Amino acid sequence: MSTTPDSAVRAYLTGHREAFLDDLADWLRIPSVSADPERAGEVRRSAEWLAAKLTDTGFPTAEIWETEGDGLPAVFAEWPSGDPSAPTVLVYGHHDVQPAAREDGWHTDPFEPQTVDGKLYARGAADDKGQVFFHTLGVRAHLAATGRTAPAVNLKLLIEGEEESGSPNFPALIEKHAGRLACDVVIVSDTGMWSRDTPTVCTGMRGLTDCQIDLYGPDQDIHSGSFGGAVPNPATEAARLAAALHDADRRVAVPGFYDGVIELTDRERELFAELPFDEEQWLRTAHSHAALGEAGSTTLERIWARPTAEVNGIGGGYQGPGGKTIVPSTAQLKLSFRLVAGQDADAVQQSVRDWVADRLPAGIRHKITFWGATRPCLTPLDHPALQSVVRAMGRAFGQKIRFTREGGSGPAADLQDVLGVPVLFLGISVPSDGWHAPNEKVELDLLMKGVETAAHLWGDLAETWPRT
């Protein structure tokens, strides 16, 4: 366990808290909305601001990395330890933010930070500038408390500028700079906890692949009285595909879909069950009226650790007022598949292609378009770097740290695939922070817990996971 004194860390944080929050507020004033082409200059200004601040923090290297074409810049920083046995850690986050305007329902200007009752309101306060920025004060507290002049680990940061726009240039960026990004572990600070009273560490995210299936029948819409019942109907076949996607137990019925799935262990099920999950409250959040899914799995298991298939859209034929008695010439089906550890996205795509081809009758032509894929990532519970994160958080929060996963997908898997190292998650945001919503905020006491966690983490990693 790291010997970094808790009291020394907290004393440093107390003395530097206000300056840290003033700096964060300055950064939050920059409307770095990557989705808005007119604000591309603000995204660049955000990157420049961060690079300068990382230099002020002490990072000897802080660079702006350009992306392809008209892509928006990322920031890279590096601070070597000087210790040949020190592990190398890459921290990932992003400095771009979601669009926001006062008329969306904000109580104040979303780019003029306001502190009310210990909560800092601004776009990006939690997602993700606040959670990126706590690493700057965290590393300074680590140095002050230990008397070091460089971190106990080789510390690298990669802060993306296009995450809120789907990270279109991120895979190419990390492929290009894979040598400089080489590390032993990635820590993603773009995530959250179960609640302020139940601090947690995320141990995995699902992957994703999605597609559109276009079905073609008659060469044009035709009369359903003259021809209906005697020729194949693409809208009917779209409905039949959708209905056949799951079996009676709500398992995905595509042959080969579950190949390679890493099943939950009994211990992981127990850890999920320890969380104070209120299904009725969760249903209200989901704006739904009943839970439903794969038989034999709990709701948390379904959304975190089981692969899924969803019909995202289905259409074809006449959609106007009244009736129009036709056999339509075309129909469409949009599907998405959430993947878990052990599944291969390419293999899943091929399984879906084969399944569709096998189910369609003669006279129905089809085309399937997949829009790429995001791979799942999972950190074993016994990984030494994960245990360091848990211990560091436990010291900061003064209580037991529990475990979650994320049901969604993100660029973390790209880092895992390209760099070939495990991905860990360190975040302090809570569900009420309102990511992507009006009145986004971060709770300042939790933000400082993130700072404190980072201050303890580097020493713990160096002491318990030296590289040889």
Side-chain angles (χ1 to χ4, degrees):
M1 177 178 173
S2 170
T3 55
T4 305
D6 293 35
S7 58
V9 168
R10 288 171 183 155
Y12 187 87
L13 300 190
T14 298
H16 294 81
R17 172 187 169 113
E18 292 308 313
F20 165 77
L21 293 178
D22 287 344
D23 283 343
L24 175 58
D26 285 344
W27 194 21
L28 292 170
R29 291 187 180 96
I30 301 175
S32 50
V33 180
S34 59
D36 184 352
E38 294 186 358
R39 284 182 159 166
E42 299 291 359
V43 179
R44 180 167 298 279
R45 186 160 70 95
S46 171
E48 292 169 348
W49 186 98
L50 177 59
K53 188 57 61 176
L54 291 173
T55 298
D56 290 346
T57 297
F59 281 84
T61 299
E63 303 170 354
I64 294 175
W65 281 1
E66 302 296 341
T67 54
E68 294 184 349
D70 295 328
L72 300 170
V75 176
F76 172 77
E78 184 175 15
W79 197 339
S81 168
D83 183 346
S85 67
T88 299
V89 181
L90 174 66
V91 174
Y92 167 85
H94 63 91
H95 67 94
D96 64 318
V97 298
Q98 281 279 313
R102 183 70 180 268
E103 56 267 27
D104 296 337
W106 284 78
H107 298 153
T108 59
D109 184 333
F111 295 105
E112 184 52 51
Q114 301 287 330
T115 299
V116 180
D117 296 330
K119 301 173 179 61
L120 176 61
Y121 290 87
R123 176 59 88 218
D127 180 25
D128 184 34
K129 289 179 177 177
Q131 299 202 95
V132 166
F133 203 56
F134 74 59
H135 285 286
T136 63
L137 184 55
V139 70
R140 296 205 312 270
H142 162 65
L143 299 178
T146 59
R148 298 181 60 92
T149 57
V153 299
N154 301 306
L155 186 58
K156 301 179 181 182
L157 273 66
L158 179 61
I159 312 303
E160 188 187 358
E162 297 182 316
E163 194 274 345
E164 297 293 10
S165 295
S167 302
N169 295 298
F170 191 63
L173 181 72
I174 55 179
E175 289 275 8
K176 177 181 178 180
H177 297 287
R180 297 193 65 189
L181 295 171
C183 59
D184 297 302
V185 68
V186 174
I187 292 181
V188 174
S189 284
D190 183 25
T191 185
M193 306 189 305
W194 181 266
S195 71
R196 63 173 298 112
D197 298 320
T198 307
T200 54
V201 173
C202 176
T203 61
M205 296 184 74
R206 293 192 294 186
L208 169 68
T209 188
D210 55 345
C211 68
Q212 177 169 314
I213 304 171
D214 292 292
L215 303 177
Y216 307 95
D219 292 335
Q220 64 179 43
D221 293 352
I222 57 177
H223 193 287
S224 66
S226 299
F227 304 104
V231 296
N233 183 320
T236 299
E237 297 308 319
R240 289 170 64 88
L241 284 175
L245 193 56
H246 299 88
D247 65 17
D249 290 326
R250 306 283 172 172
R251 284 176 58 86
V252 180
V254 175
F257 180 75
Y258 291 93
D259 289 355
V261 166
I262 297 176
E263 302 288 345
L264 279 168
T265 65
D266 290 342
R267 178 56 179 155
E268 287 171 321
R269 290 179 183 273
E270 291 170 359
L271 291 171
F272 285 4
E274 288 181 0
L275 294 165
F277 178 61
D278 183 332
E279 189 162 279
E280 291 301 319
Q281 180 178 341
W282 177 84
L283 284 170
R284 288 192 292 273
T285 302
H287 303 282
S288 300
H289 308 285
L292 182 66
E294 182 183 356
S297 297
T298 67
T299 296
L300 287 183
E301 291 167 1
R302 290 168 182 164
I303 61 176
W304 287 349
R306 298 301 298 162
T308 63
E310 293 293 338
V311 176
N312 307 131
I314 184 170
Y318 181 65
Q319 303 293 325
K324 186 179 183 184
T325 53
I326 59 168
V327 175
S329 64
T330 64
Q332 303 83 36
L333 189 63
K334 294 181 185 287
L335 305 177
S336 64
F337 302 88
R338 296 287 175 172
L339 311 179
V340 300
Q343 284 181 294
D344 179 79
D346 292 338
V348 168
Q349 290 180 4
Q350 188 58 51
S351 294
V352 172
R353 293 181 188 278
D354 294 343
W355 175 75
V356 171
D358 289 344
R359 295 195 66 87
L360 292 177
I364 295 290
R365 294 155 293 136
H366 74 283
K367 179 178 71 174
I368 303 180
T369 304
F370 280 93
W371 297 297
T374 300
R375 297 185 182 276
C377 56
L378 179 65
T379 307
L381 291 175
D382 60 354
H383 194 285
L386 176 62
Q387 295 307 310
S388 287
V389 173
V390 171
R391 283 191 295 269
M393 283 191 75
R395 292 176 69 181
F397 283 85
Q399 64 185 98
K400 181 178 180 179
I401 306 301
R402 302 185 187 275
F403 297 92
T404 63
R405 294 193 195 179
E406 292 283 346
S409 307
D414 292 325
L415 291 162
Q416 175 185 262
D417 288 349
V418 174
L419 303 180
V421 297
V423 173
L424 309 181
F425 298 86
L426 169 58
I428 49 73
S429 184
V430 290
S432 62
D433 283 345
W435 291 26
H436 299 197
N439 304 307
E440 178 185 346
K441 53 88 175 170
V442 67
E443 302 198 12
L444 295 182
D445 60 338
L446 297 183
L447 186 63
M448 300 311 293
K449 294 295 186 187
V451 174
E452 193 173 343
T453 298
H456 293 309
L457 178 56
W458 311 135
D460 193 298
L461 276 169
E463 292 168 22
T464 62
W465 197 39
R467 313 309 291 155
T468 57

